[in-house]
PDB file of all heavy atoms in Angstrom:
ATOM      1  N   ARG U  59    -248.011 101.906-142.104  1.00 92.00           N
ATOM      2  CA  ARG U  59    -249.296 102.327-141.543  1.00 92.00           C
ATOM      3  C   ARG U  59    -249.211 102.716-140.072  1.00 92.00           C
ATOM      4  O   ARG U  59    -250.035 103.497-139.595  1.00 92.00           O
ATOM      5  CB  ARG U  59    -250.306 101.193-141.690  1.00 92.00           C
ATOM      6  CG  ARG U  59    -250.698 100.936-143.114  1.00 92.00           C
ATOM      7  CD  ARG U  59    -251.670  99.778-143.203  1.00 92.00           C
ATOM      8  NE  ARG U  59    -252.017  99.518-144.598  1.00 92.00           N
ATOM      9  CZ  ARG U  59    -252.271  98.331-145.088  1.00 92.00           C
ATOM     10  NH1 ARG U  59    -252.235  97.269-144.297  1.00 92.00           N
ATOM     11  NH2 ARG U  59    -252.564  98.181-146.348  1.00 92.00           N
ATOM     12  N   THR U  60    -248.249 102.156-139.335  1.00 90.00           N
ATOM     13  CA  THR U  60    -248.248 102.347-137.877  1.00 90.00           C
ATOM     14  C   THR U  60    -246.965 102.973-137.338  1.00 90.00           C
ATOM     15  O   THR U  60    -246.723 102.921-136.127  1.00 90.00           O
ATOM     16  CB  THR U  60    -248.485 101.004-137.154  1.00 90.00           C
ATOM     17  OG1 THR U  60    -247.384 100.131-137.441  1.00 90.00           O
ATOM     18  CG2 THR U  60    -249.793 100.368-137.558  1.00 90.00           C
ATOM     19  N   ALA U  61    -246.148 103.551-138.186  1.00 90.00           N
ATOM     20  CA  ALA U  61    -244.878 104.142-137.729  1.00 90.00           C
ATOM     21  C   ALA U  61    -245.104 105.175-136.639  1.00 90.00           C
ATOM     22  O   ALA U  61    -244.262 105.338-135.742  1.00 90.00           O
ATOM     23  CB  ALA U  61    -244.126 104.760-138.906  1.00 90.00           C
ATOM     24  N   ASP U  62    -246.241 105.850-136.674  1.00 88.00           N
ATOM     25  CA  ASP U  62    -246.527 106.866-135.657  1.00 88.00           C
ATOM     26  C   ASP U  62    -246.760 106.243-134.277  1.00 88.00           C
ATOM     27  O   ASP U  62    -246.694 106.926-133.268  1.00 88.00           O
ATOM     28  CB  ASP U  62    -247.735 107.706-136.062  1.00 88.00           C
ATOM     29  CG  ASP U  62    -248.988 106.869-136.251  1.00 88.00           C
ATOM     30  OD1 ASP U  62    -248.892 105.718-136.747  1.00 88.00           O
ATOM     31  OD2 ASP U  62    -250.081 107.373-135.913  1.00 88.00           O
ATOM     32  N   ARG U  63    -246.992 104.935-134.228  1.00 86.00           N
ATOM     33  CA  ARG U  63    -247.229 104.256-132.949  1.00 86.00           C
ATOM     34  C   ARG U  63    -245.951 103.800-132.272  1.00 86.00           C
ATOM     35  O   ARG U  63    -245.989 103.349-131.135  1.00 86.00           O
ATOM     36  CB  ARG U  63    -248.144 103.054-133.146  1.00 86.00           C
ATOM     37  CG  ARG U  63    -249.520 103.446-133.597  1.00 86.00           C
ATOM     38  CD  ARG U  63    -250.433 102.251-133.636  1.00 86.00           C
ATOM     39  NE  ARG U  63    -251.603 102.558-134.446  1.00 86.00           N
ATOM     40  CZ  ARG U  63    -252.318 101.668-135.072  1.00 86.00           C
ATOM     41  NH1 ARG U  63    -251.994 100.395-134.983  1.00 86.00           N
ATOM     42  NH2 ARG U  63    -253.353 102.028-135.782  1.00 86.00           N
ATOM     43  N   PHE U  64    -244.820 103.889-132.999  1.00 85.00           N
ATOM     44  CA  PHE U  64    -243.554 103.502-132.384  1.00 85.00           C
ATOM     45  C   PHE U  64    -243.240 104.494-131.278  1.00 85.00           C
ATOM     46  O   PHE U  64    -243.036 105.676-131.519  1.00 85.00           O
ATOM     47  CB  PHE U  64    -242.418 103.466-133.408  1.00 85.00           C
ATOM     48  CG  PHE U  64    -241.085 103.181-132.789  1.00 85.00           C
ATOM     49  CD1 PHE U  64    -240.809 101.929-132.255  1.00 85.00           C
ATOM     50  CD2 PHE U  64    -240.116 104.167-132.700  1.00 85.00           C
ATOM     51  CE1 PHE U  64    -239.590 101.666-131.665  1.00 85.00           C
ATOM     52  CE2 PHE U  64    -238.888 103.911-132.107  1.00 85.00           C
ATOM     53  CZ  PHE U  64    -238.624 102.652-131.589  1.00 85.00           C
ATOM     54  N   ALA U  65    -243.222 103.992-130.047  1.00 71.00           N
ATOM     55  CA  ALA U  65    -243.052 104.866-128.886  1.00 71.00           C
ATOM     56  C   ALA U  65    -241.591 105.111-128.550  1.00 71.00           C
ATOM     57  O   ALA U  65    -241.285 106.016-127.791  1.00 71.00           O
ATOM     58  CB  ALA U  65    -243.769 104.263-127.676  1.00 71.00           C
ATOM     59  N   GLY U  66    -240.713 104.319-129.082  1.00 70.00           N
ATOM     60  CA  GLY U  66    -239.302 104.506-128.796  1.00 70.00           C
ATOM     61  C   GLY U  66    -238.853 103.866-127.496  1.00 70.00           C
ATOM     62  O   GLY U  66    -237.690 103.954-127.150  1.00 70.00           O
ATOM     63  N   GLY U  67    -239.767 103.210-126.778  1.00 63.00           N
ATOM     64  CA  GLY U  67    -239.386 102.563-125.523  1.00 63.00           C
ATOM     65  C   GLY U  67    -238.422 101.420-125.750  1.00 63.00           C
ATOM     66  O   GLY U  67    -237.462 101.252-125.021  1.00 63.00           O
ATOM     67  N   ASN U  68    -238.672 100.629-126.748  1.00 64.00           N
ATOM     68  CA  ASN U  68    -237.759  99.565-127.131  1.00 64.00           C
ATOM     69  C   ASN U  68    -237.062  99.990-128.411  1.00 64.00           C
ATOM     70  O   ASN U  68    -237.401 100.988-129.016  1.00 64.00           O
ATOM     71  CB  ASN U  68    -238.520  98.253-127.367  1.00 64.00           C
ATOM     72  CG  ASN U  68    -239.000  97.639-126.074  1.00 64.00           C
ATOM     73  OD1 ASN U  68    -238.331  97.721-125.058  1.00 64.00           O
ATOM     74  ND2 ASN U  68    -240.159  97.030-126.117  1.00 64.00           N
ATOM     75  N   SER U  69    -236.113  99.203-128.830  1.00 86.00           N
ATOM     76  CA  SER U  69    -235.411  99.557-130.052  1.00 86.00           C
ATOM     77  C   SER U  69    -236.336  99.368-131.254  1.00 86.00           C
ATOM     78  O   SER U  69    -237.232  98.522-131.242  1.00 86.00           O
ATOM     79  CB  SER U  69    -234.156  98.698-130.212  1.00 86.00           C
ATOM     80  OG  SER U  69    -234.498  97.380-130.582  1.00 86.00           O
ATOM     81  N   ALA U  70    -236.104 100.165-132.268  1.00 89.00           N
ATOM     82  CA  ALA U  70    -236.880 100.030-133.505  1.00 89.00           C
ATOM     83  C   ALA U  70    -236.637  98.659-134.118  1.00 89.00           C
ATOM     84  O   ALA U  70    -237.541  98.064-134.709  1.00 89.00           O
ATOM     85  CB  ALA U  70    -236.500 101.137-134.483  1.00 89.00           C
ATOM     86  N   LYS U  71    -235.424  98.162-133.949  1.00 90.00           N
ATOM     87  CA  LYS U  71    -235.089  96.834-134.479  1.00 90.00           C
ATOM     88  C   LYS U  71    -235.980  95.774-133.835  1.00 90.00           C
ATOM     89  O   LYS U  71    -236.571  94.941-134.522  1.00 90.00           O
ATOM     90  CB  LYS U  71    -233.620  96.520-134.210  1.00 90.00           C
ATOM     91  CG  LYS U  71    -233.154  95.230-134.829  1.00 90.00           C
ATOM     92  CD  LYS U  71    -231.749  94.828-134.397  1.00 90.00           C
ATOM     93  CE  LYS U  71    -230.711  95.843-134.737  1.00 90.00           C
ATOM     94  NZ  LYS U  71    -229.344  95.378-134.424  1.00 90.00           N
ATOM     95  N   ALA U  72    -236.100  95.819-132.517  1.00 88.00           N
ATOM     96  CA  ALA U  72    -236.954  94.853-131.823  1.00 88.00           C
ATOM     97  C   ALA U  72    -238.404  95.026-132.252  1.00 88.00           C
ATOM     98  O   ALA U  72    -239.131  94.041-132.419  1.00 88.00           O
ATOM     99  CB  ALA U  72    -236.825  95.013-130.314  1.00 88.00           C
ATOM    100  N   TRP U  73    -238.829  96.272-132.454  1.00 90.00           N
ATOM    101  CA  TRP U  73    -240.197  96.555-132.864  1.00 90.00           C
ATOM    102  C   TRP U  73    -240.498  95.945-134.234  1.00 90.00           C
ATOM    103  O   TRP U  73    -241.497  95.247-134.402  1.00 90.00           O
ATOM    104  CB  TRP U  73    -240.400  98.071-132.875  1.00 90.00           C
ATOM    105  CG  TRP U  73    -241.776  98.531-133.230  1.00 90.00           C
ATOM    106  CD1 TRP U  73    -242.913  98.408-132.475  1.00 90.00           C
ATOM    107  CD2 TRP U  73    -242.174  99.215-134.420  1.00 90.00           C
ATOM    108  NE1 TRP U  73    -243.980  98.976-133.122  1.00 90.00           N
ATOM    109  CE2 TRP U  73    -243.555  99.484-134.324  1.00 90.00           C
ATOM    110  CE3 TRP U  73    -241.492  99.632-135.556  1.00 90.00           C
ATOM    111  CZ2 TRP U  73    -244.257 100.138-135.320  1.00 90.00           C
ATOM    112  CZ3 TRP U  73    -242.192 100.292-136.553  1.00 90.00           C
ATOM    113  CH2 TRP U  73    -243.558 100.536-136.425  1.00 90.00           C
ATOM    114  N   VAL U  74    -239.616  96.158-135.206  1.00 93.00           N
ATOM    115  CA  VAL U  74    -239.871  95.642-136.555  1.00 93.00           C
ATOM    116  C   VAL U  74    -239.749  94.113-136.593  1.00 93.00           C
ATOM    117  O   VAL U  74    -240.510  93.448-137.290  1.00 93.00           O
ATOM    118  CB  VAL U  74    -238.987  96.333-137.617  1.00 93.00           C
ATOM    119  CG1 VAL U  74    -237.550  95.860-137.581  1.00 93.00           C
ATOM    120  CG2 VAL U  74    -239.567  96.133-139.010  1.00 93.00           C
ATOM    121  N   PHE U  75    -238.821  93.552-135.818  1.00 91.00           N
ATOM    122  CA  PHE U  75    -238.710  92.095-135.766  1.00 91.00           C
ATOM    123  C   PHE U  75    -239.963  91.494-135.119  1.00 91.00           C
ATOM    124  O   PHE U  75    -240.420  90.425-135.519  1.00 91.00           O
ATOM    125  CB  PHE U  75    -237.454  91.665-135.007  1.00 91.00           C
ATOM    126  CG  PHE U  75    -236.240  91.572-135.884  1.00 91.00           C
ATOM    127  CD1 PHE U  75    -235.607  92.719-136.328  1.00 91.00           C
ATOM    128  CD2 PHE U  75    -235.731  90.349-136.275  1.00 91.00           C
ATOM    129  CE1 PHE U  75    -234.488  92.652-137.134  1.00 91.00           C
ATOM    130  CE2 PHE U  75    -234.621  90.263-137.094  1.00 91.00           C
ATOM    131  CZ  PHE U  75    -233.982  91.422-137.521  1.00 91.00           C
ATOM    132  N   SER U  76    -240.509  92.180-134.131  1.00 89.00           N
ATOM    133  CA  SER U  76    -241.730  91.722-133.490  1.00 89.00           C
ATOM    134  C   SER U  76    -242.898  91.718-134.479  1.00 89.00           C
ATOM    135  O   SER U  76    -243.693  90.768-134.524  1.00 89.00           O
ATOM    136  CB  SER U  76    -242.051  92.619-132.293  1.00 89.00           C
ATOM    137  OG  SER U  76    -243.231  92.210-131.671  1.00 89.00           O
TER     138      SER U  76
END
Side-chain angles (χ1 to χ4, degrees):
R59 291 178 181 146
T60 64
D62 59 324
R63 295 186 197 154
F64 175 69
N68 287 325
S69 74
K71 185 188 301 185
W73 182 70
V74 75
F75 273 74
S76 179

